Amino acid sequence: DPEGVVAAARDLSARSFGPATLKYRELGTVANVLVLNRLRALPTRNFSETEFADAEKVSGEALRAGGKVHRASCAACTIGCEHVFEDASGAGGRLEYESLFALGPLCGISDRGVILRAARVCDETGMDTMSAGGTVAFLMECRERGIAAEGEFDGVDLRFGNGEALLEALRRGAERRGRLGERVAMGSRLAAERIGGEAPSLAPHVKGLELPGYHPSS
């Protein structure tokens, strides 16, 4: 029933293009950051916490206030998950909620500029933002807990909140450079197996795939 399918599609499109989805067309899904934080469902510091104290600094509203915003959604989409935001230098970065959560709160990063740069590194090197951010967040917790010694990461101080360390880890991961680069490129499950000890219990994943941005305990 091709005519019926087209009619149903047009009806769904018309109904989805309304006030309930306006926030997505204006900001993209990054508009969900503050809502999920209020619900205590925003994965923070490798899923060890459900709220991010600096959520307002990395919210969609803060990103919009920090520079120009351009839509980058799929053709004919009535929602518009992804937008391009500009940092202080005028450089743009593509973000939607999952990329923002993984490269921001999950790694304890509250610097919007760092998050946008991290997203650009992933886009330019072909890395998935969720898997990359999830893996780095896992490695950060290993470093914080002393499960992985400093030498494990080639001297990079990979701790929660360290934006430059996040960027360096992503660059090395894209090139598989050094031990840190290998760990990032492996993904959290395999990296946890290589590190050993308590590491596997700190690597949130499903069949080796890092988790999306909704805390399982919420």
Side-chain angles (χ1 to χ4, degrees):
D1 184 8
E3 292 182 359
V5 171
V6 170
R10 287 175 175 168
D11 177 59
L12 284 170
S13 177
R15 284 192 286 141
S16 67
F17 197 82
T21 55
L22 179 62
K23 65 178 182 178
Y24 297 130
R25 287 189 292 279
E26 290 185 345
L27 288 178
T29 52
V30 294
N32 287 336
V33 171
L34 294 181
V35 174
L36 289 167
N37 199 57
R38 286 197 299 271
L39 294 173
R40 297 183 179 180
L42 180 61
T44 300
R45 296 180 179 84
N46 194 38
F47 287 86
S48 65
E49 301 171 28
T50 59
E51 294 177 273
F52 188 46
D54 292 323
E56 289 190 3
K57 294 181 180 180
V58 298
S59 66
E61 292 79 0
L63 284 163
R64 178 173 58 185
K68 294 181 180 179
V69 183
H70 311 280
R71 287 190 64 178
S73 52
C74 301
C77 178
T78 59
I79 306 298
C81 298
E82 191 174 67
H83 281 52
V84 175
F85 299 91
E86 291 186 354
D87 59 21
S89 69
R94 300 164 67 94
L95 279 181
E96 34 69 47
Y97 170 70
E98 300 290 356
S99 296
L100 176 58
F101 118 84
L103 300 170
L106 196 64
C107 293
I109 305 296
S110 59
D111 186 322
R112 297 189 301 276
V114 167
I115 295 171
L116 286 167
R117 286 163 62 193
R120 287 201 298 272
V121 170
C122 289
D123 286 345
E124 290 166 2
T125 58
M127 291 194 296
D128 179 80
T129 52
M130 292 171 62
S131 286
T135 300
V136 173
F138 153 71
L139 295 174
M140 285 178 167
E141 185 165 7
C142 286
R143 180 72 180 92
E144 294 266 346
R145 289 176 176 261
I147 295 171
E150 186 174 348
E152 181 77 23
F153 303 140
D154 305 321
V156 176
D157 190 20
L158 200 64
R159 296 181 182 273
F160 290 127
N162 189 336
E164 291 304 317
L166 165 66
L167 293 168
E168 183 64 20
L170 293 174
R171 296 188 193 102
R172 294 190 185 201
E175 301 171 1
R176 299 188 80 104
R177 176 161 42 97
R179 184 172 291 185
L180 173 58
E182 283 292 325
R183 296 290 183 258
V184 174
M186 287 175 180
S188 56
R189 179 173 67 176
L190 185 55
E193 292 174 359
R194 295 292 177 84
I195 293 171
E198 299 176 41
S201 68
L202 301 177
H205 66 83
V206 175
K207 298 180 181 179
L209 188 63
E210 288 69 27
L211 303 185
Y214 310 91
H215 203 287
S217 68
S218 60

